[in-house]
Amino acid sequence: LLGLVITVIRVGEAGVRISQISGTHPGTLYPGVHWIMPRVNRIETFSIRDHVFTTATGEDPKKMGGSLRVQSKEGPAIGLAVAVRYRLDPSKLTHIQMDLPRPVEAELAALVVAGVFRELAPNYMVREIFATRREELRKAAAVAIAQTLGADGLVVREVTDE
């Protein structure tokens, strides 16, 4: 009986309490022991450690996010390999649990990363994307990705091109 009323949230995780009667309770539950009412409440846990979303250039289909194809100023489609390191904001777990699709990597991060690069890349020539203005493109994309994902409770730590 004691095992039914106690839930342990491990280090590197956080959770939200979900009631069968009133839905998701506001507030985040951090690592430690938490009391719940069996059959009425449950705790949904999330990893708050860093995650990495990656895309492939097209030649490496084993990468997690698949191929990221963008169009350059000249017109031809090119493949980009991008990695975005992020984590879930523990203070926004209630919003994440109630409003966002899961898994976040496949549903939200992939769409945002692809959309930002597809919006920015047509402003550059192929040579600029891969050489002369590469850092400029990466920084602009990092800012746009961080703003978009930040509004949904994901903290972007780093955006790199491979």
Side-chain angles (χ1 to χ4, degrees):
L1 183 61
L2 189 59
L4 296 174
V5 298
I6 293 177
T7 298
V8 176
I9 297 179
R10 297 176 295 199
V11 173
E13 294 182 343
V16 291
R17 186 183 315 265
I18 302 169
S19 168
Q20 299 295 338
I21 299 167
S22 59
T24 303
H25 290 245
T28 300
L29 302 173
Y30 291 95
V33 176
H34 300 277
W35 300 94
I36 62 168
M37 192 177 304
R39 296 189 178 170
V40 176
N41 291 330
R42 67 181 175 88
I43 294 180
E44 181 81 24
T45 59
F46 298 87
S47 172
I48 54 174
R49 297 180 191 269
D50 282 1
H51 302 274
V52 178
F53 170 77
T54 59
T55 65
T57 59
E59 295 83 30
D60 190 5
K62 293 180 184 176
K63 290 261 188 170
M64 184 172 81
S67 178
L68 175 58
R69 308 283 299 164
V70 298
Q71 208 158 4
S72 66
K73 193 180 240 182
E74 296 107 324
I78 56 175
L80 294 179
V82 177
V84 178
R85 186 169 64 109
Y86 68 93
R87 67 177 180 80
L88 300 178
D89 183 351
S91 67
K92 295 185 178 180
L93 285 183
T94 302
H95 162 68
I96 292 168
Q97 195 280 324
M98 289 176 32
D99 300 327
L100 297 183
R102 277 191 231 103
V104 175
E105 296 91 349
E107 298 293 329
L108 185 63
L111 292 174
V112 170
V113 170
V116 166
F117 276 97
R118 286 186 179 127
E119 181 181 315
L120 293 174
N123 298 323
Y124 299 90
M125 297 180 137
V126 174
R127 179 175 22 101
E128 294 172 332
I129 291 173
F130 291 110
T132 60
R133 296 175 69 191
R134 180 179 188 165
E135 186 64 17
E136 177 185 321
L137 173 62
R138 189 199 57 77
K139 284 181 180 177
V143 168
I145 291 168
Q147 287 175 344
T148 305
L149 291 179
D152 281 323
L154 283 79
V155 178
V156 176
R157 312 276 248 184
E158 182 179 25
V159 175
T160 60
D161 51 354
E162 300 172 349

